[in-house]
Amino acid sequence: MRRIPPLGALRAFEAGARHLSFTRAATELRVTQAAISHQVRQLEDWLGVSLFERRGHALTLTARGAEYLRELTPVFERMSEATTRLYAREQGPLRLTVLPSFASCWLLPRLERFRKQHPDIELHVNSSEALWDFLDDRFDVGIRSGLGRWTGLKAEQLASERLAPVCTPALAKRLRAPGDLGKVRLLHDSPKDGWRRWLDAAGVSGVDADRGPVFNDAGLALQAARLGDGVALGRLMLAAQDLKAGRLVQPFKAVLPNDFSYWLVHPRPLTGRRDVAAFKAWVLEEARS
């Protein structure tokens, strides 16, 4: 006979221990914080050991609790993977959440190639700046900009980001040296410190790095540059199609590395899904090329 505590209590403990927060565990499991606390107490009573140390609102694991978590988490991950395979959700749409700038400038111009390779996979693309924490199942896969550290998510780097001035060929003819940037409109996206960092790295002084319009989306700054409104400090991965087509050019060679990179992220249990694996392989190959 198997000696197994109530599964609801085990699930509450595993989520609470993973987050070190009963509130976040409650959000993940879609119950109240009081329900999580009650189930954890029930599990501690059943086991006869303390799993958490409670100091005010702060939670830490006891040594026994940490040991128990290490054993339980892989079990729940295997259960989730098995359930995902059983339901075969790859027959439904693959739901992506993508930054608006990445969607418009990089992903959409390439999606026809994915459709030709995988005509049986239906994509639903949501374009949003909002950071989705994957605590619910609205989406399957995300493409985000950051450092690659998201708790509980599998993250694979698509490309590191680099910044450089970009503008139309006509405007570039007016720019013989970086100091000439003081004579044209500078286009900014958020955060606005990019131009100052590029000018400093290029050894340029005497140019007001704060003037010019600010766009909350990098794609809008590139669009303004394509229209000849000024010089954008372009994210080169997003500007790749325009640079290749000659709609934009780089008037100067200096390139500024950016701390953030683009990442493909998804919950770890979805690793074995056929549509997730297919999209991952395709998007990584596109990024490499």
Side-chain angles (χ1 to χ4, degrees):
M1 180 178 178
R2 293 187 176 122
R3 189 166 184 264
I4 301 175
L7 290 179
L10 283 176
R11 198 166 172 231
F13 162 72
E14 194 276 336
R18 182 161 30 87
H19 292 296
L20 285 179
S21 166
F22 288 170
T23 300
R24 287 183 62 82
T27 301
E28 177 180 324
L29 300 182
R30 300 182 185 182
V31 297
T32 65
Q33 189 268 350
I36 295 291
S37 180
H38 173 75
Q39 288 178 320
V40 168
R41 293 278 190 192
Q42 181 185 25
L43 179 62
E44 289 177 320
D45 291 343
W46 195 94
L47 295 171
V49 298
S50 294
L51 300 172
F52 289 99
E53 292 181 2
R54 300 164 176 83
R55 294 175 182 151
H57 294 294
L59 278 181
T60 58
L61 285 166
T62 64
R64 301 288 293 277
E67 180 183 359
Y68 204 31
L69 176 66
R70 285 193 297 270
E71 296 285 346
L72 284 181
T73 296
V75 173
F76 277 102
E77 288 180 350
R78 288 196 296 272
M79 290 170 62
S80 178
E81 291 165 5
T83 303
T84 298
R85 288 192 293 270
L86 179 64
Y87 277 106
R89 285 180 55 194
E90 61 267 28
Q91 295 178 6
L94 178 63
R95 300 162 302 170
L96 310 179
T97 173
V98 187
L99 291 166
S101 57
F102 193 92
S104 61
C105 296
W106 194 92
L107 182 63
L108 293 184
R110 293 168 168 80
L111 270 186
E112 183 59 26
R113 291 200 283 270
F114 179 79
R115 285 191 286 265
K116 288 181 178 179
Q117 291 181 30
H118 303 281
D120 58 323
I121 298 177
E122 179 184 349
L123 290 178
H124 288 188
V125 181
N126 178 278
S127 174
S128 174
E129 290 280 359
L131 291 178
W132 173 48
D133 57 14
F134 285 80
L135 292 180
D136 57 54
D137 60 357
R138 285 176 295 158
F139 305 109
D140 303 310
V141 176
I143 295 177
R144 285 290 178 258
S145 175
L147 300 175
R149 296 190 293 267
W150 289 280
T151 302
L153 298 181
K154 175 77 172 177
E156 298 199 40
Q157 187 180 44
L158 297 179
S160 56
E161 189 55 281
R162 299 178 302 150
L163 308 175
V166 296
C167 62
T168 61
L171 187 52
K173 294 177 181 178
R174 298 167 52 188
L175 303 173
R176 298 183 179 275
D180 292 338
L181 288 167
K183 305 174 185 177
V184 297
R185 183 182 294 110
L186 301 184
L187 307 174
H188 305 260
D189 64 23
S190 299
K192 195 182 177 182
D193 66 341
W195 267 117
R196 169 51 55 205
R197 292 190 293 118
W198 186 90
L199 291 166
D200 289 345
V204 180
S205 59
V207 175
D208 183 0
D210 293 322
R211 62 188 173 79
V214 181
F215 301 89
N216 72 333
D217 180 84
L220 293 177
L222 289 175
Q223 183 177 354
R226 286 196 301 271
L227 294 172
D229 288 346
V231 183
L233 188 66
R235 300 169 189 264
L236 294 184
M237 185 174 185
L238 302 186
Q241 293 284 97
D242 288 320
L243 292 169
K244 183 178 180 180
R247 293 183 291 267
L248 294 175
V249 296
Q250 288 178 244
F252 310 112
K253 294 182 178 179
V255 172
L256 179 70
N258 198 9
D259 291 337
F260 282 13
S261 299
Y262 289 105
W263 300 82
L264 180 78
V265 298
H266 60 80
R268 291 182 180 276
L270 298 187
T271 300
R273 265 181 54 176
R274 183 186 64 82
D275 54 353
V276 172
F279 182 79
K280 180 192 300 185
W282 174 81
V283 78
L284 289 172
E285 180 60 30
E286 286 288 328
R288 281 193 292 267
S289 64

